[in-house]
Every structure is written in C-alpha cells, then in structure tokens.
Amino acid sequence: MGKIRFTATNPRTSGVGPALARSAALLGAALLVAGCAGTETSVRTSSAPGGSASEVSGAPASGAPGSGLAGPETPSPGTSAPASGAPAPGAPGPAAAPRGLAEEARQGTEAIRGAVEAEAREAEARKAALLAAARRWGLPQAPLLAPPPPRTKSLPATRRGFGVNGPRTRGLPPVFTRVPTSDRVVFLTIDDGVDQDPATLRMLRELHVPYTAFLSDDAVDGGWEYFRAAHAQGAALQNHTLLHRYLPGLSRAAQRHEICGMQDTLRRHYGRAATLFRPPYGSYNRDTLEVARSCGIRAVPLWEAEVFPGRVVYRDSDLHPGDLVLTHFQGRAQWNGSMADALRTFLRTVTEKGYAVARLEDYI
C-alpha cells in the first residue's frame, strides 16, 4: 500500500470554520482509501478569507511493494537490455490509477471551496446581525469583537499605592484597576444588582457584550432568578458583600460576616462561591484583604473609569488597554437615565476609541 500524506489547516488558528475542517477531513479520508491502489498521494489544503486551494499529486514509487512496477532485472545471455524507460518484454506495466481518484479529488476540492464560501457567508450574516442589533439599541456602529483570550492567565500585581502596610503582606489578594495586556480591550464590570430590567440582559446578549457582575445581597433583594439568567448567558457573578457597608469602619469579625456570608449566599444560589471581590466604595484595609483571602478570594479588582448615563468619569485621563470600567445595575430611580442609557454611553465611548470589550475572567 502506498503512503498517504494529508495536511489540513488548523481551524482554531487560521480562522477556518468547522464546516471547512469537516470537508478537509472527508477529502483526506477519500484519498486514503484511493491510496490503497498503490499510489503515493500528497494532499495539502489551505484556506484564507475569500478563497481556497487544494493540491493533489501522485507518483508511483519505483520498485516499491504494491507499486505495480517490476524491479530491475539482469538480461539473460543472448538478449539485449530494454531501452531506458521501457518495460522488459512480458513485464507488468504500471498499475492504472484508480478511476475514482481524480473524481474524489475534484469532489474534495469542491467541498472545501463550498465550506469556505459558507463560512464567509455566515461571518457576513453575523456581522450584519450585530450591526442591526447596534442600531436597534441606538448605537451608531456595532461594538468591536474582542480578540481570542490569552492562552495563559496571570493575576496583576497590586497597583502602586493600593497596597496595605504591615508584616506578612505577601500572599494577600492583589488590588488592581487595570490588567496588563497589549490587546485593545477593556473590561465591563457592573455592581450591586438593584435594577433588574430584562431589557438590560437582552441588550447585553444581543450585542455580545461580556461582563462581570459584583453582587450585594441587599441590592439583589431576592431577585436571584434574574442573575441566574444573566449567568446562563455568560455573565460571571462575583462578591460585593452582603449589605454593601463601609468595610474599614467594621471589626474584623463583621468584615468576615460581610465577605464570607456573601460567599455562602452565592454558593447557595449558584453552586459556587466567587473568586473575585470588590469592596463597596472601593474601600478596604488590611483586615479586608486578609479576611477576603480566608474566604477564598483570589483578587480584588477595582476600576479605572466609571460610566453613568451620558458621561464617563476617568481615574486617569483616558482609557488604556486592560482598563476595568465600572457601572451599576441601576435605573431611573437612582439615575437621570436608564441602565440602557449607561450601556449606550459605555459602548459608544469604547468603540469610538477603538476598544473591544473582553471577559475579565479570561485574562486573570
């Protein structure tokens, strides 16, 4: 049996979709069967947006077992050697290539071309649907899509000036406002849980916006089903204490009740506790970080910018790659505007500045 070599582009790294990957695999399988006829076959497929190529080559291996070619023979006395390239009299000639090989190759090429075209059509349809959703929610352009997340995650170091003093600070959860990355991405975080308008979840879902919710038990006020729906559509649910109290003004035991108690609440409603913790008002002390660590918290993300309906307030002068952006589950009862107004402000701002929204938990 001849040798079969098949190389296909990796769909995860090349952007080729699953339909193309399946077609390439089918072509390889067909040529593997055809190769049983004794032909060495090399198939190489590649694709790029807007086109595809398929190359099939075959050459019988001279003298190889199963190749259909007779090996060299020493002429008998009284006979002359056959002319170069001509088979000896009575020797079997090359086996005819399988009739179906060319047809299999042609069909495989067509399948790959069709898959590439189908992937392109699907991408255009997704782009059109996202643009339509953006316009439906009052945005001038669709949000930018985030690049693939990094292969490895790492916790940022504590931001300079945000640490706490004293011995044994090593191992405390880091406090940061920005994730180190060269990707032009920012991270949307939404606190509390007071406003539970279904339109908010619908807007975030239709616009494919990832976000992290830092919830307080008193703000949610029994509306756990709403955030179960948020979690089902991809939101990460993290810890923002039970009663949203100013933690540095509490005893260590009271802080433990606030933080660990919220861990128990999240575990009871969603089956798992949080790994991230945001202290109310961004205020904390050494006890806060030590207690948070003991409750299973890995990191304390704060924020670089805060969004309200119609305006953005920056800690620094502008957005930077990796910035955490804060807004709240609040509505007209708390703001001069709706939750959708705040999200429109956020998305319009980051898109105009050339940033996509990424999922925080994919990076840390």
Side-chain angles (χ1 to χ4, degrees), residues 223-308:
W224 296 107
E225 193 61 37
Y226 179 85
F227 291 101
R228 187 171 287 109
H231 183 61
Q233 72 180 43
L237 307 181
Q238 305 289 2
N239 189 323
H240 197 42
T241 73
L242 286 173
L243 301 175
H244 204 277
R245 301 176 69 185
Y246 177 73
L247 296 179
L250 302 180
S251 68
R252 187 183 181 96
Q255 291 199 47
R256 179 175 298 280
H257 174 71
E258 285 290 317
I259 301 170
C260 294
M262 189 61 189
Q263 291 287 74
D264 293 339
T265 298
L266 290 170
R267 193 179 292 111
R268 183 169 65 254
H269 287 288
Y270 304 117
R272 60 179 299 178
T275 57
L276 305 180
F277 166 65
R278 175 172 285 166
Y281 317 107
S283 300
Y284 58 94
N285 58 17
R286 183 185 177 85
D287 281 348
T288 309
L289 300 184
E290 290 181 345
V291 166
R293 178 181 59 186
S294 72
C295 297
I297 295 300
R298 296 174 55 245
V300 179
L302 299 184
W303 61 91
E304 274 287 340
E306 185 170 359
V307 175
F308 304 89

Coordinates of all heavy atoms in Angstrom, one line a residue, residues 223-308:
G223 N -33.9 38.9 44.1 CA -34.0 38.7 42.6 C -32.9 37.8 42.0 O -32.3 38.1 41.0
W224 N -32.7 36.6 42.6 CA -31.7 35.8 42.2 C -31.9 35.1 40.9 O -31.0 34.7 40.2 CB -31.4 34.7 43.3 CG -30.9 35.3 44.5 CD1 -31.6 35.5 45.7 CD2 -29.6 36.0 44.8 NE1 -30.8 36.2 46.6 CE2 -29.6 36.5 46.1 CE3 -28.5 36.1 44.0 CZ2 -28.5 37.1 46.6 CZ3 -27.4 36.8 44.5 CH2 -27.4 37.3 45.8
E225 N -33.2 34.9 40.5 CA -33.5 34.3 39.2 C -33.1 35.2 38.1 O -32.6 34.7 37.0 CB -35.0 34.1 39.1 CG -35.4 33.2 38.0 CD -34.8 31.8 38.1 OE1 -34.7 31.3 39.2 OE2 -34.4 31.2 37.0
Y226 N -33.2 36.5 38.3 CA -32.7 37.5 37.2 C -31.2 37.2 37.0 O -30.8 37.2 35.8 CB -32.9 38.9 37.7 CG -32.5 40.0 36.8 CD1 -33.3 40.4 35.7 CD2 -31.2 40.6 36.9 CE1 -32.9 41.4 34.8 CE2 -30.8 41.6 36.0 CZ -31.6 42.0 35.0 OH -31.2 42.9 34.1
F227 N -30.4 37.1 38.0 CA -29.0 36.9 37.8 C -28.6 35.5 37.5 O -27.6 35.2 36.9 CB -28.2 37.4 39.1 CG -28.3 38.9 39.2 CD1 -29.3 39.5 40.1 CD2 -27.6 39.7 38.4 CE1 -29.4 40.8 40.2 CE2 -27.7 41.1 38.5 CZ -28.6 41.7 39.4
R228 N -29.5 34.6 37.7 CA -29.3 33.2 37.2 C -29.4 33.3 35.7 O -28.7 32.6 35.0 CB -30.3 32.3 37.8 CG -30.1 30.8 37.4 CD -31.0 29.8 38.2 NE -30.5 29.7 39.6 CZ -31.2 30.3 40.6 NH1 -32.3 30.9 40.4 NH2 -30.7 30.1 41.8
A229 N -30.4 34.1 35.2 CA -30.5 34.3 33.7 C -29.2 35.0 33.2 O -28.7 34.6 32.1 CB -31.7 35.0 33.4
A230 N -28.7 36.0 33.9 CA -27.5 36.6 33.5 C -26.3 35.7 33.4 O -25.5 35.7 32.5 CB -27.2 37.8 34.4
H231 N -26.2 34.8 34.4 CA -25.2 33.8 34.4 C -25.3 32.8 33.3 O -24.3 32.4 32.7 CB -25.2 33.1 35.8 CG -24.1 32.1 36.0 ND1 -22.8 32.4 36.0 CD2 -24.2 30.7 36.2 CE1 -22.1 31.3 36.1 NE2 -22.9 30.3 36.3
A232 N -26.5 32.4 33.0 CA -26.8 31.5 31.9 C -26.3 32.1 30.5 O -25.9 31.3 29.6 CB -28.2 31.1 31.8
Q233 N -26.4 33.4 30.4 CA -26.0 33.9 29.1 C -24.5 34.4 29.1 O -24.0 35.1 28.2 CB -26.9 35.1 28.7 CG -26.7 36.4 29.5 CD -27.7 37.5 29.0 OE1 -28.9 37.2 28.8 NE2 -27.2 38.7 28.9
G234 N -23.8 34.0 30.2 CA -22.3 34.2 30.2 C -21.7 35.2 31.2 O -20.5 35.3 31.3
A235 N -22.5 35.8 32.0 CA -22.0 36.8 33.0 C -21.3 36.0 34.1 O -21.8 34.9 34.5 CB -23.1 37.6 33.6
A236 N -20.2 36.5 34.6 CA -19.6 36.0 35.8 C -20.1 36.7 37.0 O -20.3 37.9 37.0 CB -18.1 36.2 35.7
L237 N -20.5 36.0 38.1 CA -21.1 36.5 39.3 C -20.1 36.5 40.4 O -19.7 35.4 40.8 CB -22.4 35.7 39.6 CG -23.4 35.6 38.5 CD1 -24.6 34.8 39.1 CD2 -23.8 36.9 38.0
Q238 N -19.7 37.7 40.9 CA -18.7 37.8 41.9 C -19.2 38.5 43.2 O -20.4 38.9 43.2 CB -17.5 38.5 41.3 CG -16.9 37.9 40.0 CD -16.2 36.6 40.3 OE1 -16.1 36.0 41.4 NE2 -15.7 36.0 39.2
N239 N -18.3 38.7 44.2 CA -18.7 39.1 45.5 C -18.6 40.6 45.7 O -17.6 41.2 45.4 CB -17.8 38.3 46.5 CG -18.2 38.5 47.9 OD1 -18.7 39.5 48.4 ND2 -18.0 37.4 48.7
H240 N -19.7 41.2 46.3 CA -19.7 42.6 46.6 C -20.3 42.9 48.0 O -20.8 43.9 48.3 CB -20.5 43.4 45.5 CG -20.2 44.9 45.5 ND1 -19.0 45.5 45.6 CD2 -21.1 45.9 45.4 CE1 -19.1 46.8 45.5 NE2 -20.3 47.1 45.4
T241 N -20.2 41.8 48.9 CA -20.6 41.8 50.3 C -22.1 41.6 50.4 O -22.9 41.8 49.4 CB -20.2 43.0 51.1 OG1 -21.0 44.2 50.7 CG2 -18.7 43.3 50.9
L242 N -22.5 41.3 51.6 CA -24.0 41.1 51.9 C -24.7 42.4 51.9 O -25.8 42.6 51.3 CB -24.1 40.5 53.3 CG -23.8 39.0 53.4 CD1 -23.8 38.5 54.8 CD2 -24.7 38.1 52.5
L243 N -24.3 43.4 52.7 CA -25.1 44.6 52.9 C -24.4 45.9 52.4 O -24.9 47.0 52.7 CB -25.3 44.8 54.4 CG -26.0 43.6 55.1 CD1 -26.1 43.8 56.6 CD2 -27.4 43.4 54.5
H244 N -23.4 45.8 51.6 CA -22.7 47.0 51.0 C -22.3 48.0 52.0 O -22.6 49.2 51.9 CB -23.7 47.6 49.9 CG -23.0 48.4 48.9 ND1 -22.6 49.7 49.1 CD2 -22.6 48.1 47.6 CE1 -22.0 50.2 48.0 NE2 -21.9 49.2 47.1
R245 N -21.7 47.6 53.1 CA -21.2 48.5 54.1 C -19.8 49.0 53.9 O -19.0 48.3 53.2 CB -21.3 47.8 55.5 CG -22.8 47.3 55.8 CD -22.8 46.5 57.1 NE -22.6 47.4 58.2 CZ -22.5 47.0 59.5 NH1 -22.6 45.6 59.7 NH2 -22.3 47.8 60.5
Y246 N -19.4 50.1 54.6 CA -18.1 50.6 54.5 C -17.2 49.7 55.4 O -17.2 49.8 56.6 CB -18.1 52.1 55.0 CG -16.7 52.7 55.0 CD1 -16.1 53.1 53.8 CD2 -16.1 53.0 56.3 CE1 -14.8 53.7 53.9 CE2 -14.9 53.6 56.3 CZ -14.2 53.9 55.1 OH -13.0 54.5 55.2
L247 N -16.4 48.9 54.7 CA -15.7 47.8 55.5 C -14.6 48.3 56.4 O -14.5 47.8 57.5 CB -15.1 46.9 54.5 CG -16.1 46.1 53.6 CD1 -15.4 45.1 52.6 CD2 -17.0 45.3 54.5
P248 N -13.8 49.4 56.1 CA -12.8 49.8 57.1 C -13.4 50.3 58.4 O -12.6 50.3 59.4 CB -12.1 51.0 56.3 CG -12.3 50.7 54.9 CD -13.7 50.1 54.8
G249 N -14.6 50.6 58.4 CA -15.3 51.0 59.7 C -15.8 49.9 60.5 O -16.4 50.1 61.6
L250 N -15.6 48.6 60.0 CA -16.2 47.4 60.7 C -15.0 46.7 61.4 O -13.9 46.7 61.0 CB -16.9 46.5 59.7 CG -18.0 47.1 59.0 CD1 -18.6 46.0 58.0 CD2 -19.1 47.7 59.9
S251 N -15.4 45.9 62.4 CA -14.4 45.0 63.0 C -14.1 43.9 62.1 O -14.7 43.7 61.1 CB -15.0 44.4 64.3 OG -16.1 43.5 64.0
R252 N -13.0 43.2 62.4 CA -12.6 42.0 61.6 C -13.7 41.0 61.5 O -14.0 40.4 60.4 CB -11.3 41.4 62.1 CG -10.7 40.4 61.2 CD -9.5 39.8 61.9 NE -8.8 38.7 61.1 CZ -7.8 39.0 60.3 NH1 -7.3 40.2 60.2 NH2 -7.3 38.0 59.6
A253 N -14.4 40.7 62.6 CA -15.5 39.7 62.6 C -16.6 40.2 61.7 O -17.2 39.4 61.0 CB -15.9 39.5 64.0
A254 N -17.0 41.5 61.8 CA -18.0 42.0 61.0 C -17.7 41.9 59.5 O -18.5 41.7 58.6 CB -18.4 43.4 61.4
Q255 N -16.4 42.2 59.2 CA -16.0 42.1 57.8 C -16.1 40.7 57.3 O -16.5 40.4 56.1 CB -14.6 42.6 57.6 CG -14.4 44.1 57.8 CD -13.1 44.7 57.2 OE1 -12.8 44.4 56.1 NE2 -12.4 45.5 58.0
R256 N -15.7 39.7 58.1 CA -15.8 38.3 57.8 C -17.3 38.0 57.5 O -17.6 37.2 56.5 CB -15.3 37.4 58.9 CG -15.4 35.9 58.6 CD -14.7 35.1 59.7 NE -13.3 35.4 59.7 CZ -12.4 34.9 58.9 NH1 -12.8 34.1 57.9 NH2 -11.1 35.2 59.0
H257 N -18.2 38.5 58.3 CA -19.6 38.2 58.0 C -20.0 38.7 56.7 O -20.8 38.1 55.9 CB -20.5 38.8 59.2 CG -21.9 38.7 58.9 ND1 -22.6 37.5 59.0 CD2 -22.9 39.7 58.5 CE1 -23.9 37.8 58.7 NE2 -24.1 39.0 58.4
E258 N -19.6 39.9 56.3 CA -20.0 40.6 55.1 C -19.4 39.8 53.9 O -20.1 39.5 52.9 CB -19.5 42.0 55.0 CG -20.2 43.0 55.9 CD -21.6 43.2 55.3 OE1 -21.7 43.4 54.0 OE2 -22.6 43.3 56.1
I259 N -18.1 39.4 53.9 CA -17.5 38.8 52.8 C -17.8 37.3 52.7 O -18.3 36.8 51.7 CB -16.0 39.1 52.8 CG1 -15.7 40.6 52.8 CG2 -15.3 38.4 51.6 CD1 -14.2 40.9 53.1
C260 N -17.5 36.6 53.8 CA -17.8 35.1 53.7 C -19.2 34.8 53.7 O -19.7 33.8 53.1 CB -17.1 34.5 55.0 SG -15.3 34.6 55.0
G261 N -20.1 35.7 54.3 CA -21.5 35.5 54.2 C -22.0 35.6 52.8 O -22.9 34.8 52.4
M262 N -21.4 36.5 52.0 CA -21.8 36.6 50.6 C -21.3 35.4 49.8 O -22.0 35.0 48.9 CB -21.3 37.9 50.0 CG -21.9 38.2 48.6 SD -23.7 38.4 48.6 CE -24.0 38.4 46.9
Q263 N -20.2 34.9 50.2 CA -19.7 33.7 49.5 C -20.7 32.5 49.7 O -21.0 31.8 48.8 CB -18.3 33.2 50.1 CG -17.2 34.2 49.8 CD -16.7 34.0 48.3 OE1 -17.4 34.5 47.4 NE2 -15.6 33.4 48.1
D264 N -21.2 32.4 50.9 CA -22.2 31.4 51.2 C -23.5 31.6 50.4 O -24.1 30.7 49.9 CB -22.5 31.3 52.7 CG -21.4 30.9 53.6 OD1 -20.5 30.2 53.0 OD2 -21.4 31.2 54.8
T265 N -23.9 32.9 50.3 CA -25.1 33.2 49.5 C -24.9 32.8 48.0 O -25.8 32.2 47.4 CB -25.4 34.7 49.6 OG1 -25.7 35.0 51.0 CG2 -26.6 35.1 48.8
L266 N -23.8 33.2 47.4 CA -23.6 32.8 46.0 C -23.5 31.3 45.9 O -24.0 30.8 44.9 CB -22.2 33.4 45.6 CG -22.3 35.0 45.4 CD1 -20.8 35.5 45.2 CD2 -23.2 35.4 44.3
R267 N -22.9 30.6 46.8 CA -22.8 29.2 46.7 C -24.2 28.5 46.8 O -24.5 27.6 46.1 CB -21.9 28.7 47.8 CG -21.4 27.2 47.6 CD -20.5 26.8 48.8 NE -19.2 27.4 48.7 CZ -18.8 28.3 49.6 NH1 -19.6 28.7 50.6 NH2 -17.6 28.9 49.5
R268 N -25.0 29.1 47.7 CA -26.3 28.5 47.8 C -27.2 28.7 46.6 O -27.9 27.8 46.2 CB -27.0 29.2 49.0 CG -28.4 28.6 49.4 CD -28.9 29.1 50.7 NE -29.1 30.6 50.7 CZ -28.4 31.4 51.4 NH1 -27.3 31.0 52.0 NH2 -28.6 32.7 51.4
H269 N -27.1 29.9 45.9 CA -27.9 30.1 44.8 C -27.4 29.6 43.5 O -28.1 29.3 42.5 CB -28.2 31.6 44.7 CG -29.1 32.2 45.7 ND1 -30.5 31.9 45.7 CD2 -28.9 32.9 46.8 CE1 -31.0 32.5 46.7 NE2 -30.1 33.1 47.4
Y270 N -26.0 29.6 43.4 CA -25.4 29.2 42.1 C -24.5 28.1 42.1 O -23.9 27.7 41.1 CB -24.7 30.5 41.5 CG -25.6 31.7 41.4 CD1 -25.4 32.8 42.1 CD2 -26.8 31.6 40.6 CE1 -26.2 33.9 42.0 CE2 -27.6 32.7 40.5 CZ -27.4 33.8 41.2 OH -28.2 34.9 41.2
G271 N -24.3 27.5 43.3 CA -23.5 26.3 43.3 C -22.0 26.5 43.5 O -21.2 25.6 43.7
R272 N -21.6 27.8 43.5 CA -20.1 28.1 43.7 C -19.9 29.5 44.2 O -20.8 30.4 43.9 CB -19.4 27.9 42.3 CG -19.8 28.8 41.2 CD -19.0 28.6 40.0 NE -17.6 28.9 40.2 CZ -16.7 28.8 39.3 NH1 -17.0 28.4 38.1 NH2 -15.4 29.2 39.6
A273 N -18.9 29.6 45.0 CA -18.6 31.0 45.5 C -17.8 31.8 44.5 O -17.3 31.3 43.5 CB -17.8 30.8 46.8
A274 N -17.5 33.0 44.8 CA -16.8 33.9 44.0 C -15.3 33.7 44.2 O -14.8 33.2 45.2 CB -17.2 35.3 44.3
T275 N -14.5 34.1 43.1 CA -13.1 34.1 43.3 C -12.6 35.6 43.3 O -11.4 35.8 43.6 CB -12.4 33.4 42.1 OG1 -12.8 34.0 40.9 CG2 -12.8 31.9 42.1
L276 N -13.4 36.5 42.9 CA -13.1 37.9 42.8 C -14.0 38.7 43.8 O -15.2 38.3 44.0 CB -13.3 38.5 41.4 CG -12.5 37.8 40.3 CD1 -12.8 38.5 38.9 CD2 -11.0 37.7 40.6
F277 N -13.5 39.8 44.4 CA -14.2 40.5 45.4 C -14.0 42.0 45.1 O -12.8 42.5 44.9 CB -13.7 40.1 46.8 CG -14.2 41.1 47.9 CD1 -15.5 41.3 48.2 CD2 -13.2 41.8 48.6 CE1 -15.9 42.1 49.2 CE2 -13.6 42.7 49.6 CZ -15.0 42.9 49.9
R278 N -15.0 42.8 45.1 CA -14.9 44.2 45.1 C -15.5 44.9 46.3 O -16.7 44.7 46.6 CB -15.6 44.8 43.8 CG -15.6 46.3 43.8 CD -16.2 46.8 42.4 NE -15.2 46.6 41.4 CZ -15.4 46.7 40.1 NH1 -16.7 46.9 39.7 NH2 -14.5 46.5 39.2
P279 N -14.7 45.5 47.1 CA -15.2 46.1 48.4 C -16.1 47.3 48.0 O -15.9 48.1 47.1 CB -14.0 46.6 49.1 CG -12.9 46.7 48.1 CD -13.3 45.7 47.0
P280 N -17.2 47.5 48.7 CA -18.1 48.7 48.5 C -17.3 50.0 48.6 O -16.4 50.1 49.4 CB -19.1 48.6 49.6 CG -19.2 47.1 50.0 CD -17.8 46.6 49.8
Y281 N -17.6 50.8 47.6 CA -17.0 52.2 47.5 C -15.5 52.0 47.2 O -14.8 53.0 47.2 CB -17.1 53.0 48.8 CG -18.5 52.9 49.4 CD1 -18.8 52.2 50.5 CD2 -19.6 53.5 48.7 CE1 -20.1 52.1 51.0 CE2 -20.9 53.4 49.3 CZ -21.1 52.7 50.4 OH -22.4 52.6 50.9
G282 N -15.0 50.8 46.9 CA -13.6 50.7 46.7 C -12.7 50.8 47.9 O -11.5 51.0 47.8
S283 N -13.3 50.7 49.1 CA -12.6 51.0 50.4 C -12.3 49.7 51.1 O -13.2 48.8 51.2 CB -13.5 51.9 51.2 OG -13.8 53.1 50.6
Y284 N -11.1 49.6 51.7 CA -10.7 48.4 52.3 C -9.5 48.7 53.2 O -8.9 49.8 53.2 CB -10.3 47.3 51.3 CG -9.1 47.8 50.4 CD1 -7.8 47.5 50.7 CD2 -9.4 48.5 49.2 CE1 -6.8 48.0 49.8 CE2 -8.4 49.0 48.4 CZ -7.1 48.7 48.7 OH -6.1 49.2 47.9
N285 N -9.2 47.8 54.1 CA -7.9 47.9 54.9 C -7.3 46.5 54.9 O -7.7 45.6 54.2 CB -8.2 48.4 56.3 CG -9.3 47.6 57.1 OD1 -9.5 46.4 56.7 ND2 -9.8 48.1 58.1
R286 N -6.3 46.3 55.8 CA -5.6 45.1 55.8 C -6.5 43.9 56.2 O -6.4 42.8 55.7 CB -4.4 45.2 56.8 CG -3.5 43.9 56.9 CD -2.5 44.1 58.0 NE -1.7 42.8 58.1 CZ -0.7 42.5 57.3 NH1 -0.3 43.4 56.4 NH2 -0.1 41.4 57.5
D287 N -7.4 44.2 57.2 CA -8.3 43.2 57.6 C -9.2 42.7 56.5 O -9.4 41.5 56.3 CB -9.2 43.7 58.8 CG -8.5 43.7 60.1 OD1 -7.5 43.1 60.3 OD2 -9.1 44.3 61.1
T288 N -9.6 43.6 55.6 CA -10.4 43.3 54.5 C -9.7 42.3 53.6 O -10.3 41.2 53.2 CB -10.7 44.5 53.7 OG1 -11.2 45.6 54.5 CG2 -11.7 44.2 52.6
L289 N -8.5 42.5 53.3 CA -7.7 41.6 52.3 C -7.5 40.3 53.0 O -7.5 39.2 52.3 CB -6.5 42.3 51.9 CG -6.6 43.6 51.1 CD1 -5.3 44.2 50.6 CD2 -7.6 43.5 50.0
E290 N -7.1 40.3 54.3 CA -6.8 39.0 55.0 C -8.1 38.2 55.1 O -8.1 37.0 54.8 CB -6.2 39.3 56.3 CG -4.8 39.9 56.3 CD -4.2 40.1 57.7 OE1 -5.0 40.1 58.7 OE2 -3.0 40.3 57.7
V291 N -9.2 38.8 55.4 CA -10.5 38.1 55.5 C -10.9 37.6 54.1 O -11.3 36.4 54.0 CB -11.6 39.0 56.1 CG1 -12.9 38.4 55.9 CG2 -11.3 39.2 57.6
A292 N -10.8 38.4 53.1 CA -11.1 38.0 51.8 C -10.3 36.8 51.3 O -10.9 35.8 50.8 CB -10.9 39.2 50.8
R293 N -9.0 36.8 51.6 CA -8.2 35.6 51.3 C -8.7 34.4 52.0 O -8.8 33.3 51.4 CB -6.8 35.9 51.6 CG -5.8 34.7 51.4 CD -4.4 35.0 51.8 NE -4.3 35.4 53.2 CZ -3.2 35.8 53.8 NH1 -2.1 36.0 53.1 NH2 -3.2 36.1 55.1
S294 N -9.1 34.5 53.3 CA -9.5 33.3 54.0 C -10.9 32.8 53.5 O -11.2 31.7 53.8 CB -9.6 33.7 55.5 OG -10.7 34.6 55.8
C295 N -11.6 33.7 52.9 CA -12.9 33.3 52.3 C -12.8 32.7 50.9 O -13.9 32.4 50.3 CB -13.9 34.5 52.3 SG -14.3 35.1 53.9
G296 N -11.6 32.6 50.4 CA -11.5 32.0 49.0 C -11.3 33.0 47.9 O -11.4 32.6 46.7
I297 N -11.1 34.3 48.2 CA -10.9 35.3 47.2 C -9.5 35.4 46.7 O -8.5 35.4 47.5 CB -11.3 36.7 47.8 CG1 -12.8 36.7 48.2 CG2 -11.0 37.8 46.8 CD1 -13.8 36.5 47.0
R298 N -9.3 35.4 45.4 CA -8.0 35.4 44.7 C -7.6 36.9 44.4 O -6.3 37.1 44.4 CB -8.0 34.6 43.4 CG -8.3 33.1 43.6 CD -8.4 32.4 42.3 NE -7.3 32.7 41.5 CZ -7.3 33.3 40.3 NH1 -8.4 33.8 39.8 NH2 -6.2 33.5 39.6
A299 N -8.5 37.8 44.1 CA -8.1 39.1 43.7 C -9.2 40.1 44.0 O -10.3 39.8 44.1 CB -7.8 39.1 42.2
V300 N -8.7 41.4 44.0 CA -9.7 42.5 44.3 C -9.6 43.5 43.2 O -8.8 44.5 43.2 CB -9.3 43.1 45.7 CG1 -10.2 44.3 46.0 CG2 -9.3 42.1 46.8
P301 N -10.4 43.3 42.1 CA -10.4 44.3 41.0 C -11.2 45.5 41.4 O -12.4 45.4 41.8 CB -11.1 43.5 39.9 CG -11.3 42.1 40.4 CD -11.3 42.2 41.9
L302 N -10.6 46.7 41.2 CA -11.3 48.0 41.4 C -11.7 48.5 40.0 O -12.2 47.7 39.1 CB -10.5 49.0 42.2 CG -10.2 48.5 43.6 CD1 -9.5 49.6 44.4 CD2 -11.5 48.0 44.4
W303 N -11.4 49.8 39.7 CA -11.8 50.3 38.3 C -11.0 51.5 38.0 O -10.4 52.2 38.8 CB -13.3 50.6 38.3 CG -13.7 51.7 39.3 CD1 -13.7 53.0 39.1 CD2 -14.1 51.5 40.7 NE1 -14.2 53.7 40.2 CE2 -14.4 52.8 41.2 CE3 -14.3 50.3 41.4 CZ2 -14.8 52.9 42.5 CZ3 -14.7 50.5 42.8 CH2 -15.0 51.8 43.3
E304 N -10.9 51.7 36.7 CA -10.1 52.9 36.1 C -11.1 54.0 35.6 O -10.7 55.1 35.5 CB -9.3 52.4 34.9 CG -7.9 52.0 35.3 CD -7.0 53.1 35.8 OE1 -7.2 54.3 35.5 OE2 -6.0 52.8 36.5
A305 N -12.3 53.5 35.3 CA -13.3 54.5 34.8 C -14.7 54.1 35.2 O -14.9 52.9 35.5 CB -13.3 54.6 33.2
E306 N -15.6 55.1 35.4 CA -16.9 54.8 35.9 C -17.9 55.4 34.9 O -17.7 56.6 34.5 CB -17.2 55.3 37.3 CG -18.6 54.9 37.8 CD -18.7 55.2 39.3 OE1 -17.7 55.7 39.9 OE2 -19.8 55.0 39.8
V307 N -18.9 54.7 34.5 CA -19.9 55.1 33.5 C -21.2 55.4 34.1 O -21.8 54.6 34.9 CB -20.1 54.0 32.4 CG1 -21.1 54.4 31.4 CG2 -18.7 53.8 31.7
F308 N -21.8 56.5 33.7 CA -23.2 56.9 34.1 C -23.9 57.2 32.8 O -23.3 57.3 31.7 CB -23.1 58.2 34.9 CG -22.3 58.1 36.2 CD1 -20.9 58.4 36.2 CD2 -22.9 57.6 37.4 CE1 -20.2 58.2 37.3 CE2 -22.1 57.5 38.5 CZ -20.7 57.8 38.5

